[in-house]
Amino acid sequence: MTSAQRIPPWVFFLAAPAIIALQALILWAMGRLPICACGTVKLWHGVVHSAENSQHIFDWYTLTHVVHGFGLYFLLWLVLRRTSVALRLALAVLIEGGWEILENSDFIINRYRAETIALDYFGDSIVNSIADTVAMISGFALAYRLSPWSVVGLAIAVELMLAYTIRDNLTLNVIMLVHPTQVIKAWQAAPLLRYRAARAK
């Protein structure tokens, strides 16, 4: 029995909210706003091309964090399948929290603004970042409960729905961060350009 296996599962379950609290504190120290600069907190904000995107509790990109949960569950299951699901959950929260902190660094924010259609993106509010981590946990829990093929099908359905609805998803997000493509950028920007052209008339 390893040292990790000797630790009761409830310790790892309690570690998850502690990690989320630490994530919030680090984001606060980085200068991230607790809530939207508009002064309100909405449960849902669905306008992607908006300064309020990623500032409220849930938005379209919340679904990409559910997919994060799918991926982290299967990755940690492959690497640490003999450990408890509680430990793997704590590690998933740690990884997701680390990504949320990196995502809100000046480097990644500027990368988003330069290479994607997120021209109005200036980082997440703390409440949105925490909600993203909670969304990852929900994806992790679904992956634990559902069959692998059900999770794969659900992930594909989410990705296709987001591509159709907002012309963005986790796959496109990764592509545009790692290897930006002008064809994708132009396709994503087309609705925004039409909207701005209509307003200018």
Side-chain angles (χ1 to χ4, degrees), residues 8-177:
W10 62 265
V11 173
F12 297 118
F13 283 124
L14 286 179
I19 294 168
I20 293 174
L22 180 60
Q23 171 189 329
L25 286 173
I26 293 173
L27 290 171
W28 173 268
M30 290 169 61
R32 302 264 41 98
L33 294 175
I35 65 172
C36 177
C38 62
T40 61
V41 178
K42 299 176 186 175
L43 183 62
W44 170 262
H45 180 77
V47 183
V48 173
H49 303 296
S50 162
E52 292 186 38
N53 191 53
S54 295
Q55 300 302 301
H56 297 283
I57 298 176
F58 300 122
D59 53 48
W60 289 111
Y61 290 99
T62 302
L63 295 173
T64 67
H65 292 273
V66 175
V67 179
H68 284 189
F70 296 162
L72 285 173
Y73 176 83
F74 285 116
L75 174 64
L76 292 170
W77 179 82
L78 285 171
V79 177
L80 301 169
R81 68 178 66 187
R82 294 186 179 180
T83 62
S84 69
V85 69
L87 171 58
R88 283 180 268 142
L89 173 62
L91 290 173
V93 174
L94 185 63
I95 294 168
E96 182 73 5
W99 165 247
E100 285 296 318
I101 291 166
L102 178 62
E103 185 183 36
N104 284 282
S105 66
D106 289 340
F107 173 77
I108 296 296
I109 290 172
N110 291 333
R111 182 77 173 174
Y112 273 129
R113 288 173 53 78
E115 304 298 348
T116 72
I117 56 171
L119 300 177
D120 293 322
Y121 181 69
F122 293 95
D124 299 351
S125 69
I126 294 175
V127 70
N128 178 264
S129 181
I130 291 172
D132 286 345
T133 302
V134 172
M136 184 283 298
I137 293 173
S138 70
F140 187 99
L142 281 172
Y144 174 68
R145 291 293 182 184
L146 300 177
S147 69
W149 285 114
S150 296
V151 175
V152 170
L154 189 55
I156 292 172
V158 169
E159 289 287 271
L160 291 175
M161 185 271 288
L162 288 175
Y164 176 78
T165 305
I166 63 170
R167 299 197 179 202
D168 204 3
N169 56 30
L170 181 58
T171 304
L172 292 172
N173 214 285
V174 171
I175 291 171
M176 295 303 288
L177 276 177

